[in-house]
C-alpha cells in the first residue's frame, strides 16, 4: 500500500510539473518571418524558373498537389504548375534561417485562349481573367452571335468553369412592321324555269324543275308574280285556251361581292423576347364540364407572334407565326341548346434571316372554290332549247388571296416630347361650334397641322 501511494504521488507531481511547464514552452516558441515576395503566377502544366538573391540550403512546398518544385542550383528553383489553386513555398538558408515565403498561384493557361480569341473574333473588346480554377470573360461584344462563339471557345479551355460578364453592344430592339392584305371575291348565278298548266278557275298545277307554286298561282289569278327565295329577278307569262291555262316563269339570280381586309401592326420587342398582336375579337364557346357549362373564348381576326434575334450587326433572325381567321356562319353546330359557329383560318409559320429594312412576303395563300348544280326533269331537260324550261342551273365561285409582308427595323427609344397621338388631332367642340356651326370636332392647332390627319406611321422609336 505504501509503494502504491508513493507511485501515485510521483505521477501526480509529474503531471503538475508538466502543466506548469507548458506555458513556459509556448512562450519560448516564435514564428520566423522572412522577406515576403510578391505572388508567383504559374500556368497550369507549365513551368517557371525562380532565382534567389542568396544561396539556400532547403526548400519546401506546402501542397505538392498544386505545384511541384526542383532545385537546379543553390540559387535557382524549377516550379511546375499541376492543378489550379494557391500554396506556399518556403526557402531556408544554410544556417537554417528563413530566407523567404513565396505564394505560388497556379491558374489555367489562358495565353493560348487569348490568342485563339483574337484570331476568331478580331476587333472585339473582350478581357480574359482567371478566378480560382475558372475563366472570367468581361467587356463588350458587337452581337449575340459573337457572344456565343466566345463562350463556346472558353468552354473548351475551362469546361463548366466559365463566368460570363460580357455585354452585347449595339441596338437590341427590333420593330416588326407587318402588312396583312386579303382580297375576297365571290360570283354566283342561278337560272331556273317553272312550267304550269291548269284548268280555268283553279290554282293550276306546276310541272317543271322549280316548285314556285305561289308564283304560278299569281299568274293564273292575274294578281302578280311571286319570286322564289333564291331569286332576284324573274319574268312570267300565262294564257288560256278555253278552260285550260298555261304559265311559264323564268327566274334568275346573279350576285357579285368583294371584301378587302387590311391590317398594319407595328410591334417592338427586345432581341430574344416574344411579342404578340391580335386585331379581332374573341368568340364565346360553351364547354360542358362536370360542374355544368363553362364558357371558353377563342380568338379570331389577324394574329401575329414573333421572336426577333439580332444575330450580327444589322442581321436579324425572325421566328414568326401569323394567322387570319374569321367566323364561318355557314357552318353551325347545335349542342346542349347552344348554337356554335365554325371558323375559317389560314396561318403560316416560318423562320427567316434578313437585314434591317429588308422585307419578305408570305404570298400564294390563294383559295379558289367552285361548285355548280344542275336540276332537271328526266328526259325533258335533255331536249335541246326547249329543255331549258324543264331545267335549273346554278354555279358559285369564291376566290380569296392573302399576302403578308414583313419588314424588321432596328430601333432605339425616343423622347416622349417627340411623340404624337391620334387624340392630339381632335379637340372637343364648344357649344357654339356644335349648335351654331354644326362642327363635331374643333381644329387641333399646330399638332394637328403637323399630323395632317395621317393615322399611319411609326411612333415612339427612332429607326437606325
Amino acid at each position: 500500500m505504501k509503494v502504491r501511494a508513493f507511485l501515485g504521488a510521483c505521477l501526480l507531481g509529474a503531471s503538475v510539473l508538466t502543466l506548469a511547464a507548458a506555458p513556459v514552452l509556448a512562450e519560448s516558441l516564435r514564428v520566423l518571418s522572412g522577406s515576403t515576395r510578391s505572388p508567383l503566377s504559374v500556368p497550369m502544366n507549365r513551368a517557371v524558373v525562380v532565382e534567389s538573391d542568396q544561396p539556400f540550403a532547403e526548400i519546401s512546398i506546402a501542397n505538392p498537389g498544386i505545384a511541384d518544385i526542383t532545385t537546379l542550383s543553390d540559387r535557382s528553383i524549377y516550379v511546375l504548375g499541376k492543378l489550379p489553386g494557391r500554396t506556399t513555398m518556403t526557402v531556408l538558408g544554410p544556417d537554417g534561417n528563413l530566407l523567404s515565403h513565396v505564394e505560388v498561384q497556379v491558374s489555367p493557361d489562358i495565353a493560348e485562349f487569348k490568342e485563339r480569341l483574337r484570331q476568331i473574333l478580331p476587333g472585339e473588346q473582350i478581357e480574359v481573367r482567371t478566378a480560382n480554377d475558372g475563366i472570367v470573360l468581361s467587356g463588350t461584344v458587337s452581337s449575340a452571335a459573337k457572344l456565343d462563339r466566345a463562350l463556346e471557345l472558353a468552354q473548351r479551355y475551362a469546361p463548366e468553369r466559365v463566368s460570363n460578364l460580357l455585354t452585347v453592344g449595339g441596338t437590341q430592339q427590333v420593330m416588326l412592321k407587318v402588312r396583312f392584305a386579303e382580297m375576297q371575291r365571290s360570283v354566283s348565278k342561278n337560272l331556273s324555269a317553272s312550267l304550269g298548266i291548269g284548268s280555268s278557275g283553279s290554282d293550276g298545277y306546276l310541272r317543271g324543275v322549280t316548285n314556285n307554286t305561289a308564283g304560278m298561282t299569281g299568274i293564273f289569278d292575274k294578281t302578280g308574280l311571286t319570286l322564289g327565295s333564291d331569286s332576284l329577278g324573274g319574268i312570267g307569262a300565262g294564257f288560256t285556251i278555253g278552260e285550260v291555262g298555261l304559265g311559264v316563269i323564268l327566274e334568275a339570280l346573279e350576285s357579285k361581292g368583294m371584301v378587302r381586309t387590311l391590317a398594319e401592326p407595328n410591334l417592338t420587342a427586345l432581341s430574344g423576347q416574344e411579342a404578340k398582336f391580335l386585331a379581332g375579337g374573341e368568340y364565346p364557346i360553351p364547354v360542358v364540364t362536370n360542374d355544368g357549362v363553362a364558357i371558353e373564348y377563342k380568338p379570331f381576326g389577324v394574329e401575329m407572334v414573333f421572336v426577333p434575334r439580332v444575330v450580327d450587326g444589322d442581321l436579324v433572325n425572325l421566328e414568326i407565326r401569323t394567322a387570319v381567321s374569321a367566323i364561318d356562319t355557314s357552318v353551325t353546330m347545335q349542342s346542349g341548346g347552344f348554337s356554335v359557329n365554325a371558323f375559317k383560318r389560314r396561318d403560316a409559320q416560318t423562320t427567316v434571316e434578313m437585314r434591317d429594312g429588308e422585307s419578305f412576303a408570305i404570298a400564294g395563300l390563294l383559295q379558289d372554290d367552285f361548285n355548280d348544280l344542275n336540276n332537271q326533269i328526266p328526259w325533258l331537260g335533255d331536249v335541246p332549247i326547249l329543255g331549258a324550261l324543264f331545267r335549273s342551273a346554278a354555279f358559285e365561285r369564291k376566290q380569296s388571296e392573302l399576302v403578308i409582308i414583313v419588314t424588321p427595323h432596328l430601333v432605339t427609344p425616343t423622347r416622349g416630347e417627340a411623340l404624337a397621338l391620334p387624340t392630339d388631332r381632335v379637340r372637343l367642340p364648344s357649344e357654339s361650334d356644335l349648335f351654331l356651326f354644326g362642327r363635331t370636332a374643333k381644329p387641333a392647332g399646330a399638332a394637328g397641322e403637323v399630323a395632317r390627319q395621317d393615322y399611319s406611321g411609326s411612333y415612339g422609336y427612332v429607326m437606325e
Side-chain angles (χ1 to χ4, degrees), residues 406-453:
V406 180
T407 306
H409 294 283
L410 297 178
V411 295
T412 55
T414 186
R415 297 181 60 85
E417 294 82 358
L419 302 181
L421 300 177
T423 54
D424 296 338
R425 306 166 189 141
V426 178
R427 293 172 57 186
L428 296 178
S430 63
E431 293 183 357
S432 60
D433 291 332
L434 179 62
F435 293 109
L436 296 180
F437 301 101
R439 297 173 181 171
T440 57
K442 191 174 182 179
E449 292 298 329
V450 173
R452 294 184 181 179
Q453 301 299 325

Side-chain angles (χ1 to χ4, degrees), residues 11 55 70 90 105 140 158 162 187 204 219 222 230 274 280 287 332 345 387 416 420 437 453:
L11 292 174
T70 303
T90 304
Q105 179 179 357
T140 304
V162 179
V187 177
I219 290 178
K222 300 180 181 181
D230 58 348
E274 183 181 86
V287 178
T332 305
R345 180 181 177 89
F437 301 101
Q453 301 299 325

Side-chain angles (χ1 to χ4, degrees), residues 175-179 264-268 409 419-420 422 425 451 453-461 463:
M175 184 186 73
L176 194 65
K177 183 178 182 180
V178 184
R179 287 179 289 173
E264 294 188 9
N266 293 340
L267 287 182
T268 303
H409 294 283
L419 302 181
R425 306 166 189 141
Q453 301 299 325
D454 184 10
Y455 287 88
S456 63
S458 302
Y459 297 90
Y461 286 88
M463 296 184 183

Side-chain angles (χ1 to χ4, degrees), residues 345-414:
R345 180 181 177 89
R346 282 174 291 173
D347 56 12
Q349 180 175 351
T350 184
T351 301
V352 295
E353 284 188 358
M354 64 187 68
R355 298 194 177 276
D356 180 17
E358 295 180 345
S359 300
F360 79 95
I362 302 176
L365 301 178
L366 178 65
Q367 184 176 355
D368 192 348
D369 298 332
F370 175 82
N371 61 77
D372 58 0
L373 181 64
N374 191 3
N375 296 327
Q376 67 179 20
I377 295 177
W379 303 296
L380 295 179
D382 296 330
V383 177
I385 302 176
L386 294 179
L389 298 176
F390 305 94
R391 188 169 58 240
S392 176
F395 81 90
E396 183 179 9
R397 185 175 187 180
K398 295 181 179 180
Q399 294 176 311
S400 64
E401 183 177 7
L402 175 64
V403 177
I404 304 172
I405 300 177
V406 180
T407 306
H409 294 283
L410 297 178
V411 295
T412 55
T414 186

